[in-house]
């Protein structure tokens, strides 16, 4: 019996190594395809039409050629969105000190209520920078963009419940970093290399 166990050990060990190699190979092959498919803002959403706070139509391709800092918000939010705006201001201050020209884009979770006039009131009430872009678009595209940005949201009564996340893209639309609430104290480091 002991001889039989000793004979099986090398075979079992070889199978384990083979399985590990197969998993590693699959992961290495899938990595570039998954990253490319999930990271490109412009190739996935560049042609979608959005309405800004002035009533003008834009596409995300309008921001090609410069980094994009993006999040989602809605005008009736009183908690998470306010925190997002504060962090966006800090990010803008850091990037302005570095002399970086960056597009700040905020897309509505609630396009049926966030009209251009609502976005203008929102911006004015909070004294938000005039060069930030507040956009609303079709419900289906809003949901697809939220999924792409990994921003989970759902309707509860008349409120939109949602995550805190700010996503940073380079000038080609490649996802560079995600700023979560826990990372807000490390913005200098998170924005390095942008």
């Amino acid at each position: 019996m002991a001889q039989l166990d000793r004979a099986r050990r090398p075979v079992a060990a070889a199978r384990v190594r083979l399985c590990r190699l197969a998993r590693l190979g699959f992961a290495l092959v899938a990595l570039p395809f998954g990253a490319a498919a999930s990271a490109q803002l412009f190739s996935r959403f560049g042609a979608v039409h959005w309405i800004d706070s002035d009533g003008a139509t834009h596409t995300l391709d309008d921001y090609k050629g410069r980094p994009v800092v993006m999040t989602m918000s809605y005008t009736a939010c009183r908690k998470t969105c306010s925190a997002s705006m504060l962090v966006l201001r800090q990010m803008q201050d850091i990037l302005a000190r570095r002399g970086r020209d960056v597009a700040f884009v905020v897309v509505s979770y609630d396009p049926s209520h966030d009209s251009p006039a609502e976005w203008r009131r929102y911006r004015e009430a909070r004294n938000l920078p005039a060069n930030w872009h507040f956009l609303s678009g079709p419900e289906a595209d809003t949901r697809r963009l939220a999924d792409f940005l990994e921003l989970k949201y759902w309707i509860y009564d008349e409120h939109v419940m949602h995550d805190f996340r700010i996503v940073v893209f380079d000038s080609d639309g490649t996802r560079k970093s995600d700023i979560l609430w826990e990372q807000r104290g490390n913005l200098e480091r998170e924005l390095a290399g942008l």
Side-chain angles (χ1 to χ4, degrees):
M1 188 71 138
Q3 285 181 329
L4 188 57
D5 285 341
R6 277 194 292 264
R8 289 183 184 164
R9 284 184 197 151
V11 173
R15 284 185 186 149
V16 168
R17 282 194 299 276
L18 183 60
C19 286
R20 285 181 184 156
L21 284 173
R23 280 184 276 178
L24 177 62
F26 177 75
L28 290 174
V29 168
L31 182 64
F33 296 109
S38 67
Q40 291 298 324
L41 176 67
F42 301 127
S43 64
R44 296 198 51 190
F45 295 95
V48 175
H49 289 89
W50 308 91
I51 306 297
D52 73 5
S53 57
D54 295 322
T57 301
H58 291 275
T59 68
L60 296 184
D61 275 350
D62 294 346
Y63 310 112
K64 267 186 181 176
R66 60 189 205 174
V68 175
V69 174
M70 180 179 278
T71 194
M72 294 183 72
S73 181
Y74 71 108
T75 60
C77 185
R78 299 293 175 251
K79 192 161 181 116
T80 305
C81 296
S82 296
S84 296
M85 296 307 121
L86 290 172
V87 174
L88 286 173
R89 278 184 193 271
Q90 292 171 342
M91 294 172 75
Q92 184 177 29
D93 290 346
I94 291 167
L95 293 167
R97 278 196 317 269
R98 295 178 183 173
R100 299 293 300 166
D101 178 29
V102 177
F104 282 79
V105 178
V106 179
V107 177
S108 175
Y109 282 116
D110 191 11
S112 63
H113 292 100
D114 289 339
S115 66
E118 285 298 317
W119 274 129
R120 280 194 305 279
R121 279 192 284 278
Y122 183 85
R123 178 198 307 272
E124 290 165 8
R126 289 157 185 79
N127 196 28
L128 296 172
N131 64 341
W132 288 10
H133 309 276
F134 291 90
L135 307 175
S136 295
E139 187 68 41
D141 292 323
T142 298
R143 179 67 63 183
R144 281 187 333 109
L145 181 64
D147 289 344
F148 173 75
L149 296 173
E150 298 176 43
L151 280 160
K152 307 297 179 225
Y153 74 100
W154 61 98
I155 308 300
Y156 181 77
D157 288 334
E158 294 182 20
H159 301 284
V160 178
M161 309 302 290
H162 61 91
D163 296 338
F164 176 100
R165 180 183 300 265
I166 299 169
V167 183
V168 180
F169 297 92
D170 70 10
S171 58
D172 295 325
T174 302
R175 192 176 194 139
K176 299 305 282 180
S177 65
D178 289 34
I179 310 297
L180 305 177
W181 180 249
E182 302 80 28
Q183 296 164 299
R184 70 192 185 287
N186 299 317
L187 291 176
E188 292 277 354
R189 187 182 74 224
E190 294 293 335
L191 295 172
L194 187 62

